[in-house]
Amino acid sequence: MKMNVYITTGTFEYLKGIEMTYPSESMATMVNQDGALLLHETSKTSVFKEPRKYEILESSGLIGKEGFAVINNIPITEESVPLFEHQFKDLPSLLEKEKGFIAIRVLRPLSSNTYIILTIWESAITFENRKTLLDSEIKKAYENVKHSHIFTSAPYVSKYTIVTPQ
């Protein structure tokens, strides 16, 4: 069964309200200093009106109601897609053994060119302790892609805390 991830942004209160309205859905509200986002993982259509849409290529673990989320946003050229996807297929199995690791999703964009590597950790400290490994694996995957112009723009990282709705 094909699983998708849908992401929307808004105020924390608004997004928390959506999550609480659909308690049987797999959703996680995340916040950082810049705002909030709500992630919806499902094999069905999202309840969001205008989400960013992704197909799950690789995954491990469950996204729960707590943790520290690290989102690597990687805009890829069309001709680099097959090789890029191939390079990241083993990342979940590498991270599964790491202390403090909770979940990973390698996400293919359905309405843009920006892939997402989402990792969930027990805490920001746990992530920082494993950051060198994650950075080296992602860097190795980048280096293995032989195209000189793999990116359409600079990749960037966003970090969030997953917040349990009250």
Side-chain angles (χ1 to χ4, degrees):
M1 174 174 16
K2 186 175 94 167
M3 290 293 287
N4 291 317
V5 166
Y6 301 93
I7 299 173
T8 193
T9 56
T11 66
F12 173 72
E13 292 77 17
Y14 176 72
L15 298 177
K16 185 173 70 169
I18 294 173
E19 184 177 6
M20 292 175 69
T21 301
Y22 299 96
S24 63
E25 293 292 328
S26 177
M27 293 186 179
T29 303
M30 304 178 188
V31 297
N32 68 13
Q33 67 277 6
D34 298 323
L37 68 79
L38 181 57
L39 182 141
H40 182 201
E41 187 173 40
T42 182
S43 60
K44 303 176 279 189
T45 304
S46 180
V47 299
F48 304 158
K49 289 185 176 82
E50 295 183 30
R52 289 184 283 155
K53 304 170 187 174
Y54 301 88
E55 178 182 357
I56 298 175
L57 292 178
E58 304 293 335
S59 70
S60 177
L62 297 174
I63 299 174
K65 301 297 182 189
E66 61 184 22
F68 183 73
V70 179
I71 302 173
N72 285 274
N73 298 272
I74 309 167
I76 300 295
T77 62
E78 191 174 327
E79 60 271 8
S80 300
V81 165
L83 194 50
F84 177 85
E85 289 182 3
H86 176 75
Q87 292 301 324
F88 282 93
K89 71 178 177 24
D90 295 329
L91 190 56
S93 62
L94 292 169
L95 294 179
E96 286 173 344
K97 306 171 203 101
E98 291 303 310
K99 185 175 191 270
F101 170 81
I102 295 174
I104 183 172
R105 299 295 181 270
V106 178
L107 304 175
R108 174 192 289 146
L110 297 177
S111 54
S112 76
N113 68 338
T114 302
Y115 279 73
I116 287 181
I117 312 289
L118 166 68
T119 55
I120 311 290
W121 302 87
E122 289 176 356
S123 67
I125 293 168
T126 305
F127 165 71
E128 290 300 327
N129 291 340
R130 300 296 179 265
K131 185 175 184 285
T132 304
L133 170 75
L134 184 61
D135 286 349
S136 70
E137 289 302 324
I138 290 175
K139 185 177 180 189
K140 186 175 16 170
Y142 287 160
E143 288 171 357
N144 287 336
V145 178
K146 303 294 186 221
H147 297 287
S148 59
H149 299 292
I150 178 174
F151 306 116
T152 58
S153 60
Y156 62 97
V157 176
S158 304
K159 298 174 185 175
Y160 292 86
T161 300
I162 299 173
V163 181
T164 304
Q166 300 293 330

